[in-house]
Every structure is written in structure tokens, then in C-alpha cells.
């Protein structure tokens, strides 16, 4: 677990998440939800076990996920490097039990699975280290 950042660096991570949040809000105001989601996924999951950082990052990613209207457009422009981390956040969204969040996560999950294959699901479920 040496790869994870300890508590003294959690503040720096939290500051980066806040900066990312402002950038995402700006992209959403410009009607660029796909770019906002890509930005939200960059550097995710945060390399920390600090739950405050993980929760803050989830809020940022959730905001971007919920702004996606055209899932096909998202899939055609999303690089494969983001597939696994997006799947992790979709499962986090499904775990909330919130109906609108679950509906959106399931829509994206279907298209992501078509695009990335079942391996994406298996890697996500098997990864106990890089949790979101």
C-alpha cells in the first residue's frame, strides 16, 4: 500500500479535486459534458485512502456523469484508458440507490460494456486497491 498517499498529503489531493471541480463546472456551462467527464476521470481514482478525498472526487465525477445526455457520443469520443475507471464510478453510482443516478449509470454501463467488453467489468470488480 506504499503507493497510496498518507493523510498529510490528503489536503493537496483535496485541493486538486476542488480545482478539477471548478474546471468541470466551466465545461458544463459551455455545454461540453463529454469533456467534463474526461476531465473528471483524469487522475482518478485519487491515490489515497482518505475517504474525504474519495467522496469529493465522486461528487465531481457524479456531476459530470449526470450531465451526459448523448451516451453514444460519449462512447465514440472516450479513450479506452478511461473505460475501467468509468466503470468503477458507474458501480459507485449504482450503489447509491438514487433512482436518477442508477438510471444514468445503467444507460452508460450498457454502452460501455458493448464498447469495452466484459473484461472491463471483471477488472473493475477484481480491483481492491484502486477503489473509488
Amino acid at each position: 500500500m506504499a503507493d497510496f498517499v498518507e493523510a498529510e498529503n490528503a489536503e493537496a489531493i483535496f485541493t486538486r479535486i476542488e480545482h478539477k471541480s471548478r474546471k468541470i463546472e466551466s465545461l458544463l456551462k459551455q455545454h461540453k459534458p463529454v469533456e467534463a467527464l474526461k476531465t473528471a476521470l483524469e487522475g482518478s481514482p485519487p491515490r489515497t485512502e482518505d475517504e474525504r478525498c474519495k467522496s469529493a472526487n465522486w461528487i465531481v465525477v457524479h456531476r459530470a456523469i449526470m450531465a451526459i445526455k448523448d451516451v453514444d457520443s460519449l462512447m465514440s469520443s472516450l479513450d479506452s484508458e478511461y473505460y475501467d475507471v468509468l466503470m468503477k464510478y458507474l458501480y459507485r453510482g449504482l450503489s447509491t440507490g438514487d433512482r436518477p443516478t442508477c438510471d444514468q449509470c445503467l444507460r452508460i454501463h450498457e454502452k460501455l460494456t458493448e464498447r469495452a467488453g466484459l473484461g472491463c467489468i471483471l477488472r473493475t470488480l477484481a480491483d481492491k486497491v484502486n477503489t473509488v
Side-chain angles (χ1 to χ4, degrees):
M1 294 271 183
D3 289 60
F4 284 94
V5 177
E6 296 304 320
E8 63 268 8
N9 293 327
E11 285 303 318
I13 294 170
F14 195 76
T15 300
R16 284 195 301 272
I17 292 168
E18 287 176 331
H19 175 72
K20 185 176 9 177
S21 177
R22 287 190 295 274
K23 187 174 179 182
I24 289 165
E25 286 303 320
S26 174
L27 288 167
L28 292 175
K29 286 178 184 175
Q30 297 171 40
H31 304 288
K32 297 180 178 180
V34 173
E35 290 83 357
L37 182 58
K38 286 180 185 180
T39 301
L41 295 175
E42 289 173 4
S44 290
R47 302 293 292 172
T48 181
E49 293 179 354
D50 186 293
E51 287 302 319
R52 184 178 73 130
C53 290
K54 289 183 180 216
S55 292
N57 205 62
W58 159 244
I59 291 167
V60 169
V61 173
H62 178 258
R63 175 76 175 100
I65 285 173
M66 295 306 288
I68 298 294
K69 301 296 181 224
D70 183 358
V71 179
D72 290 324
S73 174
L74 167 66
M75 288 300 118
S76 67
S77 64
L78 191 65
D79 296 329
S80 61
E81 67 187 84
Y82 296 113
Y83 292 170
D84 289 3
V85 72
L86 176 57
M87 188 65 79
K88 290 177 187 196
Y89 283 106
L90 294 177
Y91 283 120
R92 176 150 184 178
L94 290 169
S95 74
T96 66
D98 175 64
R99 179 70 183 253
T101 299
C102 290
D103 288 349
Q104 179 72 336
C105 288
L106 285 172
R107 276 192 292 277
I108 296 172
H109 184 278
E110 177 185 17
K111 298 295 183 177
L112 181 57
T113 303
E114 287 174 9
R115 177 75 123 195
L118 296 177
C120 184
I121 295 171
L122 295 174
R123 287 186 299 276
T124 297
L125 296 176
D127 188 353
K128 301 298 181 199
V129 176
N130 299 308
T131 59
V132 298

